[in-house]
Amino acid sequence: MPSKISISFAASALNDLEGIRAWYTRQCAEDAGRRIVHEIITAVERLKDFPESGRVVPEFDNALLREIIQPPFRIVYRLDHKRVRIVRVWRSERLLKLS
């Protein structure tokens, strides 16, 4: 059986997750915020077995920059040989830009 891919989170993605949780907390929906962050983490975990399952990010057309959609969020990741690095977790209606 082939070895699984390792997954890591960039600081930007961790900040995004914290922002999502904090937003729901401010809306008096702390349980919903925890649930949504958990669902995002669960969606990311499948990349261990299926790292190419995400689509190529349309804004960049780069096979190494992919995303999975966990409505209403886009989970953007960089795919390397044995590693997936989660770079952003954004609302799906936002366009991705590199600064």
Side-chain angles (χ1 to χ4, degrees):
M1 173 179 272
S3 63
K4 289 186 179 182
I5 299 290
S6 69
I7 296 176
S8 64
F9 286 78
S12 55
L14 293 173
N15 289 337
D16 293 339
L17 290 174
E18 177 56 27
I20 291 165
R21 189 204 56 76
W23 186 88
Y24 280 94
T25 297
R26 287 191 304 272
Q27 304 306 310
C28 298
E30 190 171 349
D31 289 342
R34 280 195 298 268
R35 179 183 49 79
I36 288 169
V37 169
H38 180 265
E39 289 171 358
I40 290 169
I41 299 298
T42 299
V44 165
E45 287 176 348
R46 81 165 192 231
L47 296 174
K48 288 179 183 176
D49 294 315
F50 306 104
E52 294 181 10
S53 63
R55 71 177 185 172
V56 172
V57 176
E59 293 94 327
F60 294 103
D61 195 28
N62 177 337
L64 299 179
L65 193 60
R66 295 178 171 265
E67 67 183 355
I68 52 178
I69 306 298
Q70 178 65 35
F73 297 98
R74 300 171 75 180
I75 305 164
V76 180
Y77 66 97
R78 179 164 175 81
L79 177 60
D80 292 321
H81 180 64
K82 295 271 186 182
R83 184 175 92 156
V84 164
R85 183 145 177 93
I86 309 302
V87 293
R88 297 306 309 236
V89 181
W90 278 351
R91 296 276 309 183
S92 58
E93 65 272 7
R94 285 182 70 178
L95 292 177
L96 184 63
K97 293 188 230 175
L98 290 179
S99 305

